[in-house]
Amino acid sequence: MATRNVVILGSGCSGLTAAIYCGRAGLRPLVVEGRESGGQLSLTTLVENFPGFPEGIQGPQLIENMRMQAANFGAEFASGDVIEAHLGTRPIALRLEDADKDAEPIYTESLIIASGARARWLDLTSEQALIGHGVSSCATCDGFFFRDKDIIVVGGGDSAMEEALVLTRFASTVTIVHRRDEFRASKIMLDRAREHPKIKWVTNAQIVEVMDVGKKEVTAVKLQSTNNGRAPWVMPISAVFLGIGHVPNTQAFTGQLPADADGYLLTRDYVHTQHAGVFASGDVADRRYRQAITAAGTGCMAAIEVEKYLAHHHG
Ligand code: NAP
């Protein structure tokens, strides 16, 4: 298989922006889409803060537009997650999951890691057992199944507020369960949630068990106070949605790239990693802003750096 100029890992906002720039530079980028194709924007509803859309735009539509724009400039797409990456060799070798054991790796002169982040879970055994049976991290995907039911959303940030607001379209009530009584959510999102008649609040509490694993459906949760010795109590409920943040997708690079305690890749000079020709952009390297527009911005920077790197090293 011929060595590619550049492979972009991730097909979210950052990867696709990088693909548009690399495509326009004539580099015929290969975008490895990952299992969660389209990234987090494809799981969201109305995006109101991406410049250029005064009425807002649906997240999946925004992603589809970017994908078409990248394809128009010659970007190619492959599906599947990268499970092995040899960043120190030249060309860089990548192996995709599900690839035939004897299949050749993908070889590339340069790499943009824009693999994003995935939803964080509470990591309770009962929660994990009930994923897909009333436990979810995507209101837009699964809210529909809980029409006229009582639902919990866990978290105190913008994700939790957004999930809760989406779920009010379906549910009878949405109770936000947060482990503190102060919120990370922006004022505008918090106010919207506070003003919604279907949204209720349980603060200073955390879920310690989701029931009923035996029945393979969510019937209740066991809650525990985080600020007093009150005995744990049971709250009947039909579904639990997690909105407690994200974990960067860096499994394929463990030990090869420096990362912070939560796994976010550490870059220098915006998008450079310690390996020449390997760049990181978007949420995988950004624990601070994590916005569509910042992910697009760093995707653009990574593509410009790739262009410079290839011109310098390969004429
Ligand atoms: P976040 O701001 O980090 O908030 C995560 C929340 O989950 C926090 O309230 C945290 O509690 C809670 N949490 C974390 N681990 C927990 C655990 N194990 N058990 C219980 N609670 C836990 O993450 P986010 O809400 O995903 O937002 C990330 C970024 O994306 C932010 O910059 C946000 O503004 C942005 N965003 C924007 C929008 C929008 O504008 N429409 C929508 C979604 C996200 P503590 O507060 O106690 O730590």
Side-chain angles (χ1 to χ4, degrees):
M1 198 187 285
T3 300
R4 319 269 330 187
N5 291 313
V6 56
V7 170
I8 298 166
L9 303 185
S11 54
C13 202
S14 196
L16 291 176
T17 303
I20 292 166
Y21 274 76
C22 288
R24 283 193 82 234
L27 299 176
R28 291 184 71 84
L30 176 69
V31 179
V32 176
E33 297 204 58
R35 217 178 312 160
E36 289 172 8
S37 165
Q40 291 173 56
L41 272 186
S42 62
L43 301 177
T44 191
T45 50
L46 191 65
V47 178
E48 292 177 315
N49 52 9
F50 200 91
F53 302 94
E55 310 298 328
I57 180 168
Q58 292 292 322
Q61 185 64 58
L62 181 56
I63 280 295
E64 184 51 30
N65 291 355
M66 289 186 189
R67 198 178 191 283
M68 279 191 298
Q69 203 173 342
N72 288 346
F73 289 118
E76 296 172 336
F77 294 85
S79 52
D81 280 331
V82 165
I83 50 165
E84 219 179 292
H86 298 277
L87 304 182
T89 62
R90 288 297 172 273
I92 298 159
L94 305 168
R95 195 173 285 284
L96 295 188
E97 71 174 347
D98 300 335
D100 190 328
K101 189 163 62 59
D102 301 319
E104 258 205 86
I106 298 172
Y107 291 108
T108 180
E109 301 292 355
S110 67
L111 180 68
I112 296 176
I113 301 169
S115 47
R118 63 188 183 282
R120 185 192 298 282
W121 300 96
L122 295 171
D123 285 338
L124 301 169
T125 309
S126 55
E127 168 212 47
Q128 293 296 304
L130 289 167
I131 290 175
H133 300 275
V135 173
S136 169
S137 65
C138 178
T140 317
C141 319
D142 299 329
F144 177 80
F145 300 116
F146 302 99
R147 199 171 280 285
D148 302 326
K149 305 279 190 203
D150 298 315
I151 294 178
I152 278 179
V153 170
V154 186
D158 280 337
S159 293
M161 301 308 128
E162 190 173 46
E163 295 260 298
L165 288 161
V166 167
L167 289 167
T168 56
R169 286 191 226 138
F170 310 102
S172 300
T173 65
V174 178
T175 302
I176 294 177
V177 173
H178 180 35
R179 62 186 178 183
R180 297 187 297 145
D181 57 8
E182 281 168 29
F183 291 85
R184 289 180 199 273
S186 55
K187 186 174 176 328
I188 185 168
M189 297 291 281
L190 193 55
D191 286 349
R192 269 186 211 167
R194 281 189 167 136
E195 282 159 17
H196 202 290
K198 281 189 182 176
I199 294 182
K200 303 171 175 206
W201 305 82
V202 174
T203 52
N204 295 316
Q206 64 188 12
I207 294 177
V208 288
E209 187 185 343
V210 185
M211 301 176 232
D212 185 324
V213 174
K215 287 189 184 154
K216 271 274 173 206
E217 68 175 306
V218 173
T219 56
V221 290
K222 189 180 282 180
L223 292 163
Q224 190 175 54
S225 169
T226 55
N227 70 345
N228 65 37
R230 179 184 167 186
W233 68 102
V234 170
M235 179 176 167
I237 209 81
S238 299
V240 177
F241 284 79
L242 281 302
I244 59 171
H246 294 86
V247 185
N249 293 319
T250 54
Q251 308 86 301
F253 320 107
T254 308
Q256 296 190 73
L257 290 173
D260 72 10
D262 292 324
Y264 287 91
L265 297 182
L266 297 173
T267 53
R268 61 180 169 78
D269 245 357
Y270 301 108
V271 293
H272 288 259
T273 72
Q274 65 180 26
H275 292 283
V278 178
F279 305 92
S281 69
D283 284 13
V284 74
D286 174 18
R287 63 171 308 126
R288 186 157 171 192
Y289 300 107
R290 294 179 289 186
Q291 302 297 302
I293 190 65
T294 50
T298 53
C300 156
M301 293 180 204
I304 290 172
E305 294 303 328
V306 158
E307 215 185 322
K308 272 200 240 166
Y309 171 81
L310 292 175
H312 186 68
H313 287 83
H314 303 278

